[in-house]
Amino acid sequence: MQTNFTLAQLDDPDIAEADKILRACVHCGFCTATCPTYVLSGNELDSPRGRIYLIKDMLENDRPATAEVVPHIDRCLSCNSCMTTCPSGVHYAHLVDQARARVENTFRRPLLDRALRALLAKVMPDPKLFRLSLLAAFFAKPLAPLFARIGLAPLAAMLRLAPASFPPRGARGRRVIAAEGERRGRVALLTGCVASVLTPHINEAAIRVLTRNGIEVVLAGEGCCGSLVHHLGRAEEALQSARATIDAWMREIEGEGIDSILVTVSGCGQTIKDYGYMLRGDPHYAARARKVASLTRDISEYINRINILLRNPGAPLVVAYHAPCTLQHGQKVGHESKETLSKSGFVVKDVPDGHLCCGSAGTYNMLQPQWARALRDRKIANIASVAPDVIAAGNVGCITQIAAGTDIPVVHPIELIDWASGGPMPGALRRPASAV
């Protein structure tokens, strides 16, 4: 793609990077076939190629974002399916992230939209506030249909996604969990924000698997990685969270040392693995960001490499494996969980059209509820076609999104692996046999 940035514009490192990304695009259109929003709408402007033209025009002409452009940027899930498909290696993710930041800095949204985004950016990265918000949502959940009828669809979506029961409080702060028997390794495990409140049992399962197999686990108390605000276009807030996270882990790296940084939330993992790029211009953090990114692994990558003693807990269950977009497209990790689940005695089945997003995408299912619901319903129909006993997904957002639309239990793969290697049955499976 030909670009027309001035030399003065190219002095800006972000514009120079955008120019490089845009020039790699050859207009082939392969991305349209695998873009979830284009598949739904057929609108070229809701495809990666269409958005690339909109972003190019906005950046080249140094224009503020407009009411005509913003909806198409907002509808992007950042699923990165287009990047898996693209034969030219266009790094669309970095381009749309830059566009989101420009929207945030130059476009004045309607009052309700501004308030909602500010609320999400304030509450979700803060475990204490998020826990309080879940308590409020628990009591307000019956009001979801009313909010939908009066045009407050995002608020209705938030209430529908809120858990029906209040999750138990997870431990916070720095902790070290010793390995059982001889220590074979030492890792840090991301505590995070949303997952630490919504699904603390997932990290608990990961800790049991790791320590059972001789791995010492450090919880550094690092807090939010910055992923949520990053995808809301709040670039500086995201960098502040990234720096705090890096500081916490560097204390462990420079102290007793760690082999890897493990993440059970693939959306967070994708962002942390990109820290080197995000902080490339920060002289104080660039090298440390690259170090942290180089050590970061999804839990499935690490577990797949250690010799786990597996004992299938009973009759083999059919597992529909949903690969989160942030894992298969963002991190290019896909087969590890399936391999370990198969070794555990589970019958693992791929979901048809598994490359298409479930509609979760961070805060997308709250900010774009109609699009998210359509994608969720499509995903659940494809899952149902393989007749599973349980659905496994490696991202808390996907788990929450899919579980809101089906009675089939949805768990994290590490919960099944924990069960198969001596841990408790996952909570979602603790139902009468006829219901599983």
Side-chain angles (χ1 to χ4, degrees), residues 96-416:
V96 80
D97 284 344
Q98 191 173 149
R100 285 202 176 99
R102 192 174 188 88
V103 168
E104 182 67 17
N105 293 330
T106 66
F107 181 72
R108 187 167 178 80
R109 296 180 181 275
L111 177 61
L112 181 60
D113 194 15
R114 290 203 311 276
L116 182 60
R117 287 169 177 269
L119 179 68
L120 292 172
K122 178 70 174 177
V123 170
M124 294 188 73
D126 185 321
K128 291 181 180 178
L129 289 178
F130 184 54
R131 190 171 181 82
L132 287 174
S133 75
L134 290 184
L135 180 60
F138 177 78
F139 291 106
K141 204 171 177 67
L143 299 176
L146 173 62
F147 285 133
R149 282 197 298 271
I150 64 175
L152 299 177
L155 288 176
M158 286 182 184
L159 293 176
R160 287 174 175 141
L161 288 165
S165 59
F166 206 54
R169 188 182 297 274
R172 298 202 62 81
R174 186 182 184 277
R175 284 196 300 149
V176 178
I177 302 95
E180 296 179 14
E182 181 182 355
R183 193 176 88 173
R184 299 167 54 197
R186 189 174 194 266
V187 300
L189 181 66
L190 173 72
T191 304
C193 49
V194 170
S196 70
V197 176
L198 270 184
T199 54
H201 56 276
I202 291 175
N203 265 12
E204 290 167 6
I207 290 168
R208 285 192 296 269
V209 172
L210 291 165
T211 55
R212 192 181 298 133
N213 288 274
I215 309 299
E216 183 173 277
V217 179
V218 180
L219 304 179
E222 71 297 316
C224 181
C225 69
S227 183
L228 282 166
V229 289
H230 178 61
H231 291 297
L232 285 169
R234 296 172 175 252
E236 188 50 45
E237 291 176 40
L239 294 180
Q240 289 173 5
S241 292
R243 292 184 187 106
T245 300
I246 289 167
D247 285 342
W249 281 333
M250 286 304 298
R251 285 192 289 269
E252 303 298 337
I253 293 167
E254 294 170 349
E256 192 172 339
I258 51 176
D259 308 322
S260 295
I261 297 166
L262 304 185
V263 184
T264 58
V265 182
S266 64
C268 299
Q270 175 179 300
T271 298
I272 296 165
K273 287 184 177 183
D274 205 34
Y275 275 179
Y277 174 83
M278 291 170 61
L279 288 157
R280 66 195 185 283
D282 187 325
H284 300 293
Y285 278 89
R288 284 182 279 183
R290 290 193 299 270
K291 178 67 174 177
V292 164
S294 71
L295 287 173
T296 300
R297 304 283 183 273
D298 184 77
I299 187 70
S300 64
E301 294 179 89
Y302 191 85
I303 291 297
N304 194 252
R305 296 175 188 174
I306 63 176
N307 186 25
I308 301 174
L309 298 175
L310 297 167
R311 297 289 183 271
N312 189 26
L317 295 179
V318 176
V319 179
Y321 177 68
H322 164 73
C325 299
T326 44
L327 202 58
Q328 62 170 320
H329 303 308
Q331 300 184 51
K332 306 300 182 187
V333 176
H335 64 277
E336 286 83 354
S337 285
K338 292 192 294 182
E339 286 182 6
T340 308
L341 288 170
S342 294
K343 291 175 187 175
S344 306
F346 297 103
V347 179
V348 184
K349 293 191 175 182
D350 288 320
V351 176
D353 286 338
H355 62 284
L356 291 179
C357 186
C358 69
S360 172
T363 58
Y364 189 94
N365 51 5
M366 291 172 276
L367 295 173
Q368 303 288 333
Q370 291 181 324
W371 291 76
R373 189 181 183 90
L375 290 169
R376 186 198 69 188
D377 291 346
R378 181 188 181 105
K379 177 66 67 176
I380 289 172
N382 284 329
I383 289 171
S385 72
V386 303
D389 299 308
V390 61
I391 303 163
N395 188 55
V396 63
C398 300
I399 292 171
T400 304
Q401 171 78 347
I402 295 170
T406 181
D407 291 330
I408 303 170
V410 189
V411 302
H412 194 288
I414 198 65
E415 295 181 83
L416 294 175

